[in-house]
Amino acid sequence: MLKIKPIWFCLLIALGATSCICDTINEDLDHCGTDYTIDYTLRLVTNIETELSTVLRTDVDQEIADALREALTEHIFREFAEDVNLSFYNTSGEQELLQQEIHQMNAGEASYTIYLPARDYMHLAVANIAGAQTVTLQGDGNCPDSKLVQQKGDTIDSHATGLFTARVPMEVMSDQDQDFLVTLYMANSAAAIVIDTTGCNVREVRTFINKVGDGFCINDSTFTHNSNSVIRMNNVTMPATTHSVCNYGVCFPSDDDGEWEILCYVTLDDGTITETILTVETPLEAGQFKIIKAQLSNDGSVVPVNASDVGISVTLDWNSGGTYNPSF
């Protein structure tokens, strides 16, 4: 909840002190500046616990689930903002930036006192952008152009933070107390793959996410899909007793109507590489988490287990000159 409580600065005109330029005592003071107390809160809407308990159900799986939960809740799926960028825009013309503040929030909710003249604003807020590494805030000089933009490249690292945003039209009035609801929601998502390697001797398993979004238009709350960077997944250290490889990646959501992929590259003992493309038909949405559980075969192929929405394509003795060329 964003609460506004005006503290008037123009009442001291008779004493020669004002908070705005006023030529005469009869001048309209509606646009004089006012201090406002603004409350921000993050709201995490996610299926992470449901996905962990549904897909990873056995006793052995529980060790994997615990390790994966710890990795994802440290910086991704948590109602916590390290930093917050607050932008206030004109609502007419080119909707240019009128005021911007950056704060270290270090909490799930916080209040700030911000000085604003009475007028109409479009207010955009972004949390955790400073530590996102492969995502930056761009075009924030004008409201329609303000975007979260993913780094360009054939292969890039996963997002390092959970990104939260909000957009709120604000009619700031000079003669009354006002309340505004401002809640920041998660803009990125995550996927993981758990591969049982029991009975297989391989040198290395590398995985990537493909065919997901590359940006987010904050004011419109829409995702862009202009490039096709492959997202490198992170390895989660597993107890030796699990005989499993577990990787996760953090990215923007997939297209609502399109499929997305997890690319698996398994290097066998003889040095050859097997490529498996797992095509997921269910869209990956903002704030959501998808786990694919799979079994590794002796030829290096990765076969999904109990996943009706996942297709599979295998290329034995794959080389990096093929259709996909992720940077290992």
Side-chain angles (χ1 to χ4, degrees), residues 153-156 208 210 228 230 232 263 265 275 318-328:
D154 291 336
T155 307
I156 66 172
F208 306 81
N210 191 35
N228 192 27
V230 177
R232 185 180 292 108
L263 313 178
Y265 297 90
E275 176 196 59
W318 174 88
N319 64 78
S320 61
T323 302
Y324 300 97
N325 188 19
S327 174
F328 295 154

Side-chain angles (χ1 to χ4, degrees), residues 148-167:
L148 299 180
V149 180
Q150 187 173 271
Q151 176 183 326
K152 307 300 181 185
D154 291 336
T155 307
I156 66 172
D157 290 336
S158 291
H159 304 176
T161 61
L163 297 168
F164 290 77
T165 70
R167 61 219 50 83

Side-chain angles (χ1 to χ4, degrees), residues 43-304:
R43 185 181 177 194
L44 177 63
V45 180
T46 181
N47 66 331
I48 182 171
E49 290 300 332
T50 301
E51 189 74 356
L52 287 169
S53 62
T54 302
V55 179
L56 303 176
R57 294 177 294 182
T58 68
D59 291 340
V60 173
D61 285 345
Q62 191 58 53
E63 292 183 283
I64 300 172
D66 291 343
L68 190 53
R69 179 186 294 106
E70 181 178 357
L72 283 166
T73 57
E74 183 177 5
H75 294 292
I76 309 303
F77 290 109
R78 62 174 185 165
E79 291 179 330
F80 186 92
E82 295 182 357
D83 55 273
V84 63
N85 184 302
L86 312 176
S87 300
F88 300 85
Y89 295 92
N90 190 356
T91 58
S92 61
E94 296 183 356
Q95 301 177 52
E96 70 274 12
L97 179 67
L98 298 175
Q99 185 167 327
Q100 186 175 67
E101 297 191 8
I102 299 174
H103 297 272
Q104 288 300 120
M105 188 166 169
N106 295 323
E109 56 185 29
S111 298
Y112 303 103
T113 299
I114 298 178
Y115 177 88
L116 291 171
R119 63 178 301 157
D120 289 346
Y121 296 92
M122 175 56 76
H123 175 40
L124 304 184
V126 181
N128 291 328
I129 189 62
Q133 296 183 5
T134 56
V135 180
T136 56
L137 176 63
Q138 298 182 16
D140 53 329
N142 297 85
C143 186
D145 300 328
S146 185
K147 299 179 180 68
L148 299 180
V149 180
Q150 187 173 271
Q151 176 183 326
K152 307 300 181 185
D154 291 336
T155 307
I156 66 172
D157 290 336
S158 291
H159 304 176
T161 61
L163 297 168
F164 290 77
T165 70
R167 61 219 50 83
V168 179
M170 295 174 55
E171 184 183 359
V172 176
M173 300 178 182
S174 61
D175 58 352
Q176 59 183 283
D177 290 348
Q178 297 169 265
D179 291 337
F180 293 89
L181 178 63
V182 175
T183 305
L184 290 87
Y185 291 91
M186 194 171 180
N188 46 1
S189 47
I193 183 165
V194 178
I195 306 171
D196 185 349
T197 61
T198 302
C200 300
N201 294 316
V202 298
R203 293 185 186 176
E204 190 176 25
V205 178
R206 292 161 292 196
T207 59
F208 306 81
I209 300 175
N210 191 35
K211 295 186 178 180
V212 290
D214 61 0
F216 179 64
C217 301
I218 301 171
N219 187 52
D220 296 335
S221 191
T222 57
F223 294 93
T224 60
H225 297 79
N226 299 321
S227 62
N228 192 27
S229 296
V230 177
I231 309 296
R232 185 180 292 108
M233 301 179 79
N234 303 314
N235 178 256
V236 180
T237 301
M238 291 285 103
T241 54
T242 65
H243 301 289
S244 294
V245 170
C246 177
N247 294 341
Y248 75 91
V250 184
C251 57
F252 285 120
S254 65
D255 191 313
D256 290 341
D257 301 322
E259 300 169 336
W260 57 284
E261 299 172 338
I262 291 184
L263 313 178
C264 305
Y265 297 90
V266 177
T267 304
L268 303 176
D269 281 343
D270 62 3
T272 61
I273 299 175
T274 299
E275 176 196 59
T276 303
I277 300 176
L278 302 175
T279 302
V280 186
E281 298 175 356
T282 304
L284 184 62
E285 300 177 347
Q288 299 301 289
F289 179 47
K290 173 73 173 180
I291 303 174
I292 296 177
K293 191 176 178 182
Q295 179 71 49
L296 185 64
S297 301
N298 287 326
D299 62 3
S301 57
V302 178
V303 182

